[in-house]
Amino acid sequence: MRKSATHLSGGLTKEREGIQLREAFNRVLRINAAIVASLFICAAIVEWARSAYVPFNGFVDYEWLPRLRTFLYLMAMFNLLLIRYVVMRIYIAPGPPGFGTIVKRLSKAGIASMLASGLPCFYGLLLFLSAGDPVDFYLLFGLSVIYGMIYFPRYKSWVSLAEENAGRQ
C-alpha cells in the first residue's frame, strides 16, 4: 500500500517543498559566500595600501575625521538594530499565501542580513583610506565577522520557520 503524501501548503508535497527549500538555501549560501569574500577583498586592499604606500597616512587630512570616525562607529553599532529591523520587515511583508512566498522571504532575509552585516567592514575601509589607521579597519572587520556569524543562515532554522509559517496558512 502506498503512503499518502503529506501536504504543508499550496498542494505541494513535503518532499517537493523540502527540495525547493534546499535549492533556495543553497542559492543564498552561494550569494553569502560572495559577500564574505568581498570582506576579505577589503582586507587585501588594506594590506596592499599599507605595503604600497609606506608609511600610509590616508588620502584625506581634515579636521572632521574624528567626527567621521565617531559617526561610522556609531553606525556600525546601530547596524545590529538595522539588521533586525530589515529581517522583521521582510518576514511580515504582505504577499500571497503559499510555500513559495515563504521561501522567497527566507531568501531575501538571509541575503539582506548578510549584506547589512558586512557594512561595518566597508565603514572601516572608508576610515582606513581616509585616515590611514588600520586599527579602524580591523576592528570594524571583526565586528562584521561577528555579525556575519550571528546572522548567517542556518538550514534548520529555515526548516522550522517554513513549517511554522506553512502551518499558519
Side-chain angles (χ1 to χ4, degrees):
M1 211 149 111
R2 191 171 172 201
K3 286 185 179 179
S4 64
T6 57
H7 297 278
L8 288 178
S9 66
L12 293 175
T13 63
K14 193 172 188 176
E15 288 177 23
R16 284 190 179 174
E17 287 177 345
I19 292 170
Q20 183 182 2
L21 188 66
R22 174 59 79 177
E23 288 173 353
F25 183 75
N26 287 335
R27 277 192 304 269
V28 169
L29 279 183
R30 286 191 297 271
I31 292 169
N32 286 345
I35 294 168
V36 170
S38 71
L39 301 180
F40 286 98
I41 289 171
C42 288
I45 290 170
V46 167
E47 289 304 315
W48 172 79
R50 286 181 64 193
S51 66
Y53 300 102
V54 175
F56 186 73
N57 295 323
F59 296 119
V60 181
D61 189 23
Y62 293 116
E63 67 276 354
W64 53 265
L65 279 176
R67 288 186 191 149
L68 177 66
R69 179 178 285 122
T70 304
F71 175 73
L72 289 178
Y73 273 101
L74 288 174
M75 287 297 295
M77 294 298 134
F78 177 72
N79 226 29
L80 189 62
L81 298 174
L82 174 74
I83 295 169
R84 302 283 292 179
Y85 177 75
V86 167
V87 169
M88 180 195 66
R89 294 299 298 171
I90 290 172
Y91 283 152
I92 65 171
F99 190 75
T101 304
I102 295 168
V103 171
K104 286 179 185 176
R105 286 181 183 168
L106 287 170
S107 297
K108 287 178 184 178
I111 293 168
S113 63
M114 281 303 289
L115 281 172
S117 68
L119 284 176
C121 180
F122 294 109
Y123 300 157
L125 182 63
L126 176 68
L127 282 174
F128 170 75
L129 292 175
S130 60
D133 189 10
V135 173
D136 289 330
F137 172 75
Y138 285 114
L139 283 174
L140 292 171
F141 175 81
L143 190 62
S144 286
V145 169
I146 290 170
Y147 285 170
M149 287 190 303
I150 292 171
Y151 290 104
F152 199 81
R154 289 160 181 80
Y155 186 70
K156 286 183 180 182
S157 65
W158 275 40
V159 170
S160 65
L161 284 170
E163 287 176 351
E164 178 183 316
N165 288 324
R168 288 183 189 169
Q169 296 177 359

